[in-house]
């Protein structure tokens, strides 16, 4: 199941892009601004909006650490921002002065790519803010860019429909026509398809375009055997040009947004449609998955950003994805766990979990007994009114275990509430 949990409506014009870090959401717009929101409650940060660009902001992206945000604009600049205080770290001007349409960090944060309307592509040193290498495509504007998960190469897409592959020295490895009417976006899945018999890594690449299609490619590259791009399949769920596509962090889902105003979520293994979301009232221009929780952001020309939350729908789906979900959670750092607690409305548990150094692996293995015995968390659910009455009588122990309660703040059992709501929906029809 997927549900709309929040709508952001702060921009004064079309939303062009949205991007997640582990703790923040960034959005940018034709209104020349970038806005930053906390994932804990979707409130805008005190130093937001970020203002520097003199024309429309086309793209924004976080460095892998989340400490730096890049934005690019029609004004011909790519700006790096400190996400903690909103200060500008660098202003990098496209050598030709052409409008910059897309920017993307490398997986190790050492490089940043910017692509412009005149077809130039620049590889910047993200530490010194100096131009490292520069190249260009033959025809069209550069409107899409994605780094391979291992950082060995990156892909650009042009308004003429060409996919071009570059290595980390800006040498062109490959170029071919992918979409007849122009590419609009591309993205790599962070999860390998398979290791291959020779120890090769294969990655899924998705591209979308004005031809109303999403194409899936399988990509491999080694310095010994070279580069290979193979077309795999086409997804044709939209009835109008597809403007955005993005893989989920675990590689199990692919989302797309279209001129038909809809958002479609696909299962990447079966390539079937899981969800079609139709809440936007104008073109959907951007889609992004959060890196550590199952949140999706969609931006639109209706000036809004919708935030969606995913839940496993059926026992069958839960069984099919159990191994992936386990690995997904076990990879979380202590900070990731803290962000997840905040997203669930459990802010009061953050300090307790930090004191006990609970990372993803520890979280996945927590039991009711360990919550009570080790973390001193009650572990039981009560009616809110009854518990408030209990506390009002100056009782400081758990009604069930008689242990001292570490906090008098009540936290909602959202899972139980959701289960009750579903039961009522089923039995009151």
């Amino acid at each position: 199941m997927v549900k709309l949990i929040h709508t952001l409506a702060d921009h004064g014009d079309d939303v062009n892009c949205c991007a997640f870090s582990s703790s923040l959401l960034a959005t940018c717009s034709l209104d020349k601004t970038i806005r930053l929101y906390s994932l804990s409650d979707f409130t805008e940060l005190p130093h937001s909006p970020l203002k520097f660009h003199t024309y429309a902001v086309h793209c924004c992206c976080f460095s892998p650490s989340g400490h730096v945000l890049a934005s690019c604009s029609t004004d011909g600049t790519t700006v790096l921002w400190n996400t903690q205080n909103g200060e500008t770290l660098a202003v990098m001007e496209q050598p030709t002065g052409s409008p910059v349409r897309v920017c993307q960090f490398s997986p190790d944060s050492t490089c940043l790519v910017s692509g412009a309307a005149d077809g130039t592509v620049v590889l910047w040193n993200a530490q010194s803010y100096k131009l490292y290498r520069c190249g260009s495509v033959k025809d069209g504007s550069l409107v899409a860019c994605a780094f391979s998960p291992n950082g060995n190469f990156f892909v650009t897409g042009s308004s003429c429909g060409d996919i071009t592959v570059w290595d980390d020295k800006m040498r062109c490895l490959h170029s071919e026509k992918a979409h007849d009417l122009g590419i609009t976006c591309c993205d790599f899945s962070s999860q390998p398809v398979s290791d291959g018999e020779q120890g090769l890594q294969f990655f899924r690449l998705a591209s979308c375009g004005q031809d109303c299609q999403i194409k899936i490619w399988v990509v491999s590259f080694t310095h010994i055997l070279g580069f290979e791009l193979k077309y795999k399949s086409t997804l044709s769920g939209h009835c109008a040009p597809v403007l955005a596509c993005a893989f989920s962090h675990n590689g199990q889902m692919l989302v797309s947004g279209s001129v038909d105003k809809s958002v479609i979520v696909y299962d990447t293994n079966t390539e079937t449609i899981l969800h079609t979301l139709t809440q936007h009232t104008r073109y959907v221009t951007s889609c992004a998955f959060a890196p550590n929780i199952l949140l999706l952001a969609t931006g639109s020309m209706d000036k809004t950003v919708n935030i969606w939350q995913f839940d496993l729908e059926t026992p069958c789906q839960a069984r099919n994805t159990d191994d992936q979900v386990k690995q997904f959670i076990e990879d979380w750092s202590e900070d990731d766990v803290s962000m997840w607690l905040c997203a669930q409305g459990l802010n009061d548990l953050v300090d307790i979990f930090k004191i006990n150094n609970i990372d993803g692996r520890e979280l996945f293995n927590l039991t009711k007994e360990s919550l009570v015995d080790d973390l001193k968390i009650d572990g039981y659910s009560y009616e809110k009114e009854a518990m408030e009455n209990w506390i009002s009588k100056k009782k400081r122990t758990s009604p069930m275990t008689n242990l001292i309660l570490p906090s008098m703040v009540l936290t909602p059992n959202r899972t139980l509430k959701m289960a009750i709501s579903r039961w009522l929906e089923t039995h009151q029809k």
Side-chain angles (χ1 to χ4, degrees):
M1 183 179 74
V2 58
K3 61 181 179 180
L4 179 64
I5 62 170
H6 204 87
T7 296
L8 303 170
D10 299 309
H11 281 294
D13 212 327
D14 301 356
V15 175
N16 286 331
C17 185
C18 45
F20 282 101
S21 72
S22 61
S23 60
L24 300 175
L25 170 68
T27 63
C28 64
S29 167
L30 284 181
D31 67 10
K32 310 175 189 177
T33 69
I34 305 102
R35 293 182 179 270
L36 291 174
Y37 301 89
S38 168
L39 291 191
S40 61
D41 55 6
F42 302 110
T43 56
E44 191 165 6
L45 299 192
H47 49 272
S48 176
L50 307 180
K51 296 181 179 180
F52 176 87
H53 293 292
T54 56
Y55 289 97
V57 185
H58 294 290
C59 182
C60 60
C61 62
F62 286 98
S63 65
S65 68
H67 296 153
V68 180
L69 178 74
S71 62
C72 60
S73 168
T74 301
D75 63 16
T77 67
T78 301
V79 178
L80 299 186
W81 308 83
N82 183 325
T83 59
Q84 296 177 321
N85 56 28
E87 295 181 356
T88 56
L89 299 173
V91 178
M92 300 178 294
E93 297 183 0
Q94 201 76 2
T96 59
S98 179
V100 186
R101 301 297 303 275
V102 64
C103 57
Q104 192 67 237
F105 279 100
S106 63
D108 61 2
S109 295
T110 60
C111 297
L112 176 77
V113 168
S114 64
D118 63 355
T120 57
V121 53
V122 176
L123 189 63
W124 303 89
N125 183 314
Q127 273 71 52
S128 66
Y129 315 134
K130 302 293 186 182
L131 188 151
Y132 173 58
R133 296 285 170 87
C134 186
S136 64
V137 296
K138 293 181 180 179
D139 300 301
S141 300
L142 277 183
V143 294
C145 179
F147 268 93
S148 66
N150 57 15
N152 287 342
F153 61 93
F154 64 93
V155 171
T156 58
S158 79
S159 59
C160 287
D162 294 335
I163 278 184
T164 304
V165 185
W166 313 79
D167 68 8
D168 53 8
K169 300 292 190 297
M170 280 291 296
R171 292 175 295 207
C172 180
L173 302 176
H174 180 82
S175 185
E176 72 173 78
K177 182 74 72 176
H179 295 266
D180 289 338
L181 303 177
I183 292 173
T184 53
C185 188
C186 60
D187 190 38
F188 274 101
S189 170
S190 62
Q191 303 301 315
V193 177
S194 67
D195 289 333
E197 296 179 358
Q198 297 178 314
L200 298 177
Q201 282 193 316
F202 296 86
F203 295 101
R204 283 192 185 98
L205 171 70
S207 63
C208 58
Q210 300 286 350
D211 56 6
C212 312
Q213 296 181 339
I214 303 165
K215 292 188 177 181
I216 307 299
W217 313 79
V218 178
V219 185
S220 66
F221 172 72
T222 66
H223 290 289
I224 297 175
L225 299 178
F227 173 86
E228 186 175 30
L229 175 71
K230 286 185 178 180
Y231 165 79
K232 180 178 181 291
S233 57
T234 296
L235 307 179
S236 303
H238 290 288
C239 61
V242 185
L243 302 182
C245 62
F247 283 99
S248 61
H249 179 69
N250 61 8
Q252 297 301 303
M253 292 183 288
L254 175 69
V255 64
S256 59
S258 169
V259 168
D260 64 17
K261 307 175 189 176
S262 73
V263 175
I264 295 180
V265 182
Y266 297 90
D267 182 312
T268 55
N269 294 315
T270 63
E271 298 187 350
T272 56
I273 294 177
L274 298 176
H275 310 283
T276 301
L277 313 174
T278 57
Q279 276 72 9
H280 284 295
T281 58
R282 294 193 65 196
Y283 301 173
V284 180
T285 56
S286 180
C287 303
F289 278 102
N292 57 356
I293 48 180
L294 286 176
L295 289 181
L296 167 69
T298 57
S300 168
M301 289 176 67
D302 62 15
K303 307 178 187 178
T304 69
V305 176
N306 284 335
I307 312 297
W308 309 83
Q309 187 172 51
F310 289 84
D311 295 309
L312 295 176
E313 285 189 292
T314 66
C316 180
Q317 283 180 311
R319 286 193 297 271
N320 289 340
T321 60
D322 183 65
D323 289 341
Q324 289 89 349
V325 171
K326 180 179 179 181
Q327 183 62 50
F328 179 61
I329 295 174
E330 287 185 342
D331 288 340
W332 287 2
S333 66
E334 291 179 27
D335 288 339
D336 291 336
V337 172
S338 296
M339 285 308 307
W340 175 78
L341 289 171
C342 291
Q344 301 303 312
L346 303 175
N347 306 57
D348 298 303
L349 299 183
V350 170
D351 289 340
I352 297 174
F353 274 58
K354 282 188 174 180
I355 291 171
N356 288 274
N357 303 116
I358 304 297
D359 58 12
R361 186 175 295 275
E362 292 289 334
L363 175 67
F364 195 84
N365 293 315
L366 283 180
T367 63
K368 184 176 180 179
E369 289 72 23
S370 62
L371 286 172
V372 174
D373 297 337
D374 300 332
L375 301 183
K376 300 297 186 288
I377 296 173
D378 178 84
Y380 291 91
S381 296
Y382 307 92
E383 289 188 3
K384 182 180 179 182
E385 184 178 349
M387 199 60 194
E388 287 175 339
N389 184 51
W390 175 271
I391 293 173
S392 70
K393 295 179 180 178
K394 301 190 183 304
K395 295 184 179 181
R396 296 295 182 265
T397 58
S398 164
M400 294 295 291
T401 66
N402 207 35
L403 293 171
I404 299 296
L405 294 172
S407 172
M408 297 299 108
V409 178
L410 303 180
T411 55
N413 186 332
R414 299 181 186 277
T415 303
L416 178 58
K417 182 180 179 180
M418 185 180 297
I420 293 171
S421 297
R422 288 175 179 170
W423 188 92
L424 289 173
E425 290 173 2
T426 302
H427 292 79
Q428 289 182 346
K429 291 181 179 179

